[in-house]
Structure formats: C-alpha cells, structure tokens
Amino acid sequence: MASTDINVGTHTHDDHHHDHHDDHHEELNFFTKYVFSQDHKIIARQFLVTGVLWAVIGVAFSVLFRLQLGWPDESFPILETLLGGWAEGGKLDPEFYYALVTMHGTIMVFFVLTAGLSGTFSNLLIPLQIGARDMASPFMNMLSYWFFFIAGVIMLISLFIQTGPASGGWTAYPPLSALPTASSGSGLGMTLWLASMSMFVVSSLLGGLNYVATILNMRTKGMTMMRLPLTIWAFFFTAVLGVLSFPVLLSACILLIFDRHMGTSFYLSDIWIQGELLTNSAGEIIEGGSPILYQHLFWFLGHPEVYIVILPAMGIVSHVMATNAKKPVFGYHAMVYSIMAITVLGFLVWAHHMFLSGMNPFAGSVFTLFTLLIAVPSAVKVFNWITTLWKGNINFTPAMMFSIGFVSLFISGGLTGIVLGNPALDIGYHDTYYVIAHFHIVMAMAAGFGMFAGIYHWFPKLFNGRMMNANMAYLHFWVTFIGSYCIFWPMHYLGEAGVPRRYFSFSEFDFANGFADLNIFISVAAIVVFFAQFLFIINFFYSIFAGKKMEKLNPWGSNSLEWTTPIVPGHGNWVGKIPEVFRWPYDFSKDGHEITPQTTSEKDLEDIPAVKRIPTR
Amino acid sequence: MYSLIGILAVALLILILFQLAKAGEYLGLLKGEKEANDRNNQVQATLFLGTLVFGMIGIFWSAWYYSDAFLFLRTPASEHGGAVKNMYFWTLGAILPIFVLTHALLFGFAYIYKKDDSKLSFYYPENNKLELIWMAVPAVVMVFLVLEGMRNWLKIMGPVPEDRTVLVIEATAQQFKWDLRFSGLDGKLGGKSVQLMDPENGNPWGQDWDDKANYDDFFAKDSIVLPVNVPVLVKINSLDVLHSFYLPDFQVKMDAVPGIPTQFWFTPIKTTEQRRVELNQPDYNYELACAELCGKAHFNMRRELFIVEQDQYEDWVKRQEPLYKTLKASASLEEEVEESDETIAAEY
C-alpha cells in the first residue's frame, strides 16, 4: 500500500528529518500510482479529468435541447443518429427533452461544479497551501474519488436504459419522481438517479470531513488560520457546508426510495393517476404524505449546494487576483468573515425556492429577510475584489482574465437575486426564464469561470510543470465570456415576459410564443460557446503531454506555499523539511518588494534588496 | 450530412486556431518575452474597456428593444399587480446603478492599472471605514426592500378583506389539463374527494353527491370567464403530480399539490376587451398555464381566460350546465336527481 511509507497523519510540521524524497515512487506500480492512488495531487487530477469529461457530456446535452428550443419546427437528422428512438425523424421526443434537461442540471451541478471544482482544487491546494504532506486520511480521500466514480458510472448507465434517464428535473420533486406511471423517466432511470446521488453524497462526505480535518490539524509551523490563503478559507467553509447539508439530501433520497418501492407515503397523498387511485401493494390508499416535505429536505441541501459551488470559485478568484495584480487582497479579514457569513446565512434561506409551493406565507417572509441579507457579505466581497484591482499592477494571465470575468458574472447574476429573493416579485418570476438567467450567470457561469481560472493558474502544479498555451486561453476566454452573456442575458427578457422554464415548445401559448428570434439567438450563442470549449479541451489534453515546460519554480510570482515544492513534486510534496511560514500570503508590493513569499522571515527580508520602482500612491 | 460537414468545419477551425496559437507562443519567444507580454497586457486591457462600453450599450439597447413584452411595464391587470409593479421599480432602482457602477469600476480599473514594469502596486491591505460603508449601505437598502417586499407579500397572501364579496372558484390540475369549477347559484363549492372519483359513472372529479352544494357546481367547458373588479379566490389542487396555477398577466402563481389544497386570491381590473385595445392586439387573450414540471406535456396545459363585465359574467354563468344536472339522464342517479330538483327549486 502506498500509505505505508507516508503515514502523513503522524507527522508534525517541525519534523526535520523526514525522509521524504522524490524517489520513493519507485515502490509504486502504475496501478497504485495513477489509479488507486492516495496522493492528493493524483486524486485532484482524477477529479479534474472526470469533471472535464462530465462537463462535455453535460454541456452537449444543453446544446441538444437548445436545438429544439431555437428551431422547434426543424428536424435534425443528426439527433436521430445520436439518440435513435428518442428523436425519431430528427425531432426530440418531449419525454427525452425533459430527460436531457434533468441530466444537464444534475451533471453540471453535482459532477462538474461540485466534484470537478471543489474536488479538484480542495485536493490539490489544501495540502500544498497549508504545508502538509497529504490529507489527514489519504485512504478516505481515495475512497472519496472512487465513490464519485461509482456515482458517475451509475448515472452513465441510466443514460442508456430503455425507459430513459430521470426526467423530473434536477430537483426530482415527487410525486412526479415517485410515480413510474407519471413519466417514463420516473421508472428505472429515477432509481438509478437516486442510487447515483446516494453514492455521490458518500463521496462528498468522505472528501469534506477530510478537508476540514486537514485544514484544522495539519498546517505547517507558523501557518495560523489568519495566514491561510483565501482559497483554503473557501474550501474550509465549502466542506463545512457539504458535511452539514449533504446528509439531508441522502435522507430525502432514502425516503423517496421508500415511497417508490416500499409502499410508504412520506411524500404522497390522495393521488389519482392513470385512471386509478394510488394504493400500496396491500391495497391501502396512499395518503397523509406531503410533497412539500421533500422540497424542504431537498433545498436544505440544494441551497447550500449553490454556495458549495461558488465559494471555491470565490477563493480561487481572490487568490489569483491578488497574485496577478501584485497587490494584497483588500480586506482579508472582511473576506474571511464574509465567507463565514455566507455559510451561516446559506443554511437559512432554502425556502426561498418554495415561496409558491403552498408553504405558509409567513415562513416565506422570514426566508426573504435572510435571503436579501446575503447581499451584504456578497457586496463586501465584490467591492473588495474591485478595490484589489485599484492601483494594482495587473498582469493579464489567462487565470486573471477568468477571475475578472468571474467578478462581472457574479455581480450580474447576484443582483437579479435581489429581485428573485423578494417574494412579491417572485410570484411573477418564479419558474420562468428569469430564474434560469439568474442562476446560470451567478452560479453556473461564475463557478465555471472560477474553475477555469484555477485550471489555468495551477495547471503547472497539476501536470508536472507544464503550462497551457496562453493564446488559446485568451481566445477561449473572450468567446466564453461574451458568449455566456449572449446566452443568458436575453433570458432575462423571456422571464420579464413571463415565459416559463422547462417548456418543450412555446407555440402553445400566445404569451410565450413571440420570441423565436431571441430563442434562435440564444441557441446560436450556446452552440458557439460549446464549440469554443474545445479550444480549452484541446489545449488542456495537449498541454498535459506536450505543453511548454515551466522554467521558474514560481511562474506567476505567487507568495503561497505550493510554489515552493519541486517542479514535479513527489508524494509528500516537499523534499526534506516542510517549509515554515512567517507571514500571510498577500505581502505583495510591500516596502519595495514586489513579492514576499510566506516562507520569507523578517531576517531573510533584510538581505533582499528592494526593487527600484515607483510605488503607486 | 450537413451536421457532419459542419462539425468537421468547426474541428478544422479549432485546429487552425490551435496551430496559430502555438505559432504565437514561439513568436513571443523570438520577440522577447517581456515585449510580448507588454503588448498582450495592452490588448487585453483595451478589450476589457471595449467590452464595458459596447456591452453596456448592447444591454440597454436590447432591454429597450424588448421592453414591450415586459409584463411589469404594462398597466397592471390585477389589483395587487400595482403594488408589485412599484416594488419592481424600487428594486430596479437599487440594482441598476450598482450594476453599471461596479462594472465601470471593474473594467475601468482593469484598463487603467494594466501592468507597468516601472511601477509597484499600492500596498493597501485594508480600510475598515470603507468596509463599513459598503456593508452599511447595502444593508440599509436591503432592509428597505425586505420590509417593502414583506408588506406586499403578506398583503397579497393574506385573507380577502372582509368587506368585499369574493368569488370562490376551484382549479384542479392533472396530467395534462386544468379544470375550473364554479360554485353556481349558491356561491358555495360542494365537497370533493379523490376517493370518490369515478369517471366511468360520470364523476370524474370526485364530487360528493351527498353534499347539496355540489348540485349547482359547474365546470367551465371551453373558456374560463371571470367578472372584472371582483376578488376571485382560487382554491388550487392537483390529482396526481405537482402543477402550478399560472396567470402571467395577473401576477398569479401557486403550486397545485396533491393532498394539500393551496389558494391564491386576486382581483382582475382589466377586461379582456380593455386589454386588447390597450395593447392594440385585437385577438389578445389572457392565458392560464402550468409552471411546475409535471411530465411530458407540461408545456401544453393551456386554458383561455376571459375577464368580462359583471352582467356578461352572469349571462355566461346562466348558460353553464352543472355536472349534476347532466347526470339526470343517467339511470343510476335518477331518483336522487328528482329529489334534489325539488331542493334546488325550494332554495331559489
């Protein structure tokens, strides 16, 4: 076992004579090194590559259903080639349209933006940036990836079964998701969805507990909590959110499994379907359950989930911005406390998804209060990012481009949250395209941009000191950035006109039918952005094997610890002693020193001559 | 075939771009890394500035272009629509300036403070006074929006004021249609239960025939007709999965939940006729839709809704036939019907 020569858990930071060397990997074969690896860096790669592959599938699904929405009267022979019976004559079957919508949501939220983003960067950066040789439990960490893998395999299988994958929306509200007679996707597809989600919860818990334990216990000497990079603070609170909320999703799934297979009625009551009264196998009438209970359980995870997705992106962006503007993150403490505030408030707002579910309206007004209060820490973060740029010295690396794009998207999408969080306005906007525009910009696009920023920035640490091609990255950025706005901004207008989401076709309604031009525009933009992602994917896989080699240890001029490891760090990260930390990671442009790595002591600093440059005032 | 050619063309384009990008990398090395980097910073900074200017123009122009379709900008068709419209303007007034200001600062700073190798950034790690300002200002604005939002919300969701007569109707959803029940002459909806449903014997919604209030209840056949300026309380329920009762023009939306009755009351203040004149669309119709995913024909649960003057409404009601009356012909109910006819006659 790879763990035998590491025993990371027992090491302390002042372990001087640690015999960790790059060469220890001789003992590992291909299988233990790259497949069932317990090295956090390899596990990060596994999360990332799996996440990227799922992203291709998830985004491709959105292109398929955008074809239907953009050109409802056309037929696309390629759809029949790809999907067979689900698109006879080149036209999507409504049932499969809803399956695509459901799978798009599930895949993007859980597999790409939770596992792919938080899984990748928490694994990569927590040990590297706090100065640890690996996670608290490398074995649990390995299990976390493999449970995610199993969840993915189950979901993938569900795409190929005869009745089709789950089609009740990514929220899987019962009774639709509980009754196989209500929709063909609620048959085996839904069973597999529930199984997959359960595996995913396990994966997320194994990862999250590990992240929390590692951050609290394994920081190197001198790395106090207030010297942690903001990335680590973000991963910490992300893990706390996940650990406290994912189990609730599991309970929701388990009760739904009972309702589906064991004749219980947690969520079901008084149902007449397919010409019969719903009874259990003993012939008793199913009554007394509440579909709203499921919504409460689901959104108790579902809302924190959006912060699980966005917080890591916020951390990455804060760190990348400071590094490339060569300026300290403005208001480090305020940034930490605002993440904390978002975490706490994030638990108290779930029912704003349910204003019109039939829940007591008074409860709705309480949730309004907490929902709009989240605007306060969010505003603090935005203004702090902007002030970080003010009087900076900005080098537009690809990661920096995506970070600036992130802030723009976060502002645009966040502001419409103030509209939707108001229940009086939500009556009109609820379940319309306004909501689609809001959450795609603020959560999906912004988190995606955070993920891209992270990949471009830490690619050399992920893949053996190789760099991605920057020119491709700039092109990728601009098409994606402008394209994202072109896709999602017009959806606000559809929402303003009241056009409901999850409509296979708008032609049945006069009020929704007048926007053919807008829908074509959105679909074209979606297709362009989809293909533009291949600029990234080709660059990504090409650079893994043949990218330009990193020449300096610290290519972006960062202060944090991960760049003090060798260009190709072995399992254990540092050769010899783990470096000691003397300062916070954002001493940029202080006292005539453009960068001052965390490992530089005051005494070391005296020996380094200040640069001859004009300090901006 | 066309799709295949299209995909091949895109693949080729991406490959060409990739080759160009690789070439650019080597060119950069030849020209000197610093120079290439400086030029790149200049280009990216300028692009950000361009994005700010043209992006803002694009956003405001397109919003203006599509504003005819914005429901909130129309004169409200329901009483509470007016309050909600004010709320909409308050909110827009708060978020639009912030949107423009923050973007101007973000892209403006990106442009102004691009890298200059002769300079060092300003070491400015914190300023608690600034933090306090941008915490307090949003907090105050939010408190105002929360209070105003709650006030409107509780008013909309609260009971119908006691001094107003209310028309109670019932909307029943099932895959994939809406059925609207009116209380008839007695103004009372009869009892109904999913357990009494028996479509084969003429009781498709499970009306309780022991409840006399059911005798004159009728279901709207083609269009739904409601009187103008009368508060309408819609009792909403579902027979199978979740649905949502959605009237876009009236700012009305509420989920239909099997087993848990929900409700929404509103007062239409514009007749269909008035709306048609106002929008200059002679065949404009109010529509009822479903707004909660309910299965494969979710997008196809349309009903038309006509708002008419009180006397026209009364005429329409007179022309409707209660289900119970239709069942008269049915042998199984014959006796009871005769009996009930007497009751109805006695009551009115």
Side-chain angles (χ1 to χ4, degrees), chain A residues 383-435:
Chain A
F383 284 114
N384 284 356
W385 284 318
I386 291 175
T387 314
T388 304
L389 295 183
W390 178 67
K391 294 196 177 180
N393 203 13
I394 304 166
N395 194 20
F396 291 105
T397 62
M400 187 64 175
M401 304 292 287
F402 277 97
S403 299
I404 294 172
F406 167 92
V407 177
S408 164
L409 291 162
F410 184 72
I411 295 169
S412 304
L415 287 172
T416 51
I418 296 172
V419 180
L420 290 170
N422 189 324
L425 295 176
D426 189 58
I427 297 169
Y429 289 128
H430 186 77
D431 271 329
T432 67
Y433 269 81
Y434 202 88
V435 179

Side-chain angles (χ1 to χ4, degrees), chain B residues 55-129:
Chain B
M56 284 295 163
I57 293 172
I59 278 170
F60 283 97
W61 174 81
S62 60
W64 171 80
Y65 184 84
Y66 284 102
S67 58
D68 278 353
F70 291 15
L71 296 177
F72 279 116
L73 298 183
R74 296 182 179 167
T75 34
S78 58
E79 220 172 65
H80 72 276
V84 176
K85 187 177 175 177
N86 285 338
M87 195 67 242
Y88 172 76
F89 283 116
W90 281 118
T91 310
L92 273 194
I95 66 174
L96 276 182
I98 297 290
F99 172 73
V100 176
L101 175 79
T102 47
H103 270 92
L105 292 177
L106 178 71
F107 291 141
F109 288 165
Y111 178 74
I112 298 168
Y113 300 110
K114 59 188 166 289
K115 190 173 175 179
D116 177 346
D117 278 333
S118 67
K119 282 189 183 157
L120 211 55
S121 300
F122 179 30
Y123 184 80
Y124 190 52
E126 51 201 334
N127 180 333
N128 286 336
K129 208 183 272 172

Side-chain angles (χ1 to χ4, degrees), chain A residues 182 272 325-326 331 356 361 365 393-394 396 408 428 430-431 474 478 493 496 498 502-503 508 510-511 614 616, chain B residues 40-41 44 62-63 71 88 103 113 115-116 120-121 125 150 153 175 239 246 253 255 287 290-291 298 302:
Chain A
W272 175 274
K326 291 289 173 283
L356 303 171
S365 64
N393 203 13
I394 304 166
F396 291 105
S408 164
H430 186 77
D431 271 329
Y474 293 122
W478 283 111
Y493 305 154
E496 290 280 6
R502 291 169 169 167
Y503 265 33
E508 309 302 323
D510 297 339
F511 78 94
I614 316 147
T616 311
Chain B
N40 178 54
N41 280 330
Q44 305 303 342
S62 60
L71 296 177
Y88 172 76
H103 270 92
Y113 300 110
K115 190 173 175 179
D116 177 346
L120 211 55
S121 300
M150 275 186 187
W153 167 252
Q175 287 180 330
L239 296 178
Y246 178 31
K253 196 179 283 146
D255 279 7
E287 292 172 302
C290 177
H298 164 54
R302 179 172 188 265

Side-chain angles (χ1 to χ4, degrees), chain A residues 557-570:
Chain A
S558 176
N559 283 340
S560 45
L561 281 181
E562 73 272 28
W563 303 103
T564 62
T565 58
I567 289 187
V568 185

Side-chain angles (χ1 to χ4, degrees), chain B residues 169-309:
Chain B
I169 64 169
E170 183 194 61
T172 304
Q174 60 181 304
Q175 287 180 330
F176 295 94
K177 60 180 182 132
W178 287 106
D179 291 304
L180 272 289
R181 181 159 69 127
F182 287 71
S183 54
L185 296 167
D186 63 351
K188 257 174 54 207
L189 287 166
K192 176 173 151 277
S193 158
V194 71
Q195 299 183 16
L196 296 171
M197 279 175 66
D198 190 1
E200 276 136 42
N201 294 311
N203 194 359
W205 292 281
Q207 280 169 283
D208 178 5
W209 297 132
D210 292 337
D211 183 350
K212 286 183 178 149
N214 262 320
Y215 291 179
D216 61 346
D217 288 1
F218 65 87
F219 284 84
K221 288 230 170 53
D222 305 316
S223 313
I224 304 156
V225 178
L226 289 172
V228 71
N229 294 328
V230 174
V232 181
L233 173 65
V234 193
K235 303 262 185 192
I236 303 161
N237 58 72
S238 164
L239 296 178
D240 41 36
V241 300
L242 296 179
H243 300 267
S244 188
F245 184 85
Y246 178 31
L247 300 171
D249 298 83
F250 300 94
Q251 300 292 331
V252 169
K253 196 179 283 146
M254 182 53 75
D255 279 7
V257 186
I260 300 175
T262 57
Q263 62 177 44
F264 199 111
W265 75 273
F266 70 106
T267 313
I269 54 173
K270 292 257 175 214
T271 63
T272 302
E273 227 22 78
Q274 285 168 332
R275 198 55 151 190
R276 285 173 176 175
V277 173
E278 194 181 281
L279 295 175
N280 201 15
Q281 293 176 29
D283 42 11
Y284 187 87
N285 278 322
Y286 292 130
E287 292 172 302
L288 163 63
C290 177
E292 185 72 74
L293 178 55
C294 59
K296 64 181 171 192
H298 164 54
F299 63 97
N300 195 2
M301 283 178 66
R302 179 172 188 265
R303 290 298 295 266
E304 272 177 13
L305 181 68
F306 287 94
I307 306 295
V308 297
E309 299 295 345

Side-chain angles (χ1 to χ4, degrees), chain A residues 22 40-41 127-129 131-133 460-461 550 552-554 560-570 572-575 578-579:
Chain A
D22 239 1
H40 69 99
K41 297 184 293 299
L128 282 174
Q129 287 193 332
R133 297 213 181 267
K461 272 286 106 147
M550 178 166 93
K552 303 181 267 195
L553 263 187
N554 187 359
S560 45
L561 281 181
E562 73 272 28
W563 303 103
T564 62
T565 58
I567 289 187
V568 185
N573 298 338
W574 285 270
V575 181
I578 300 181

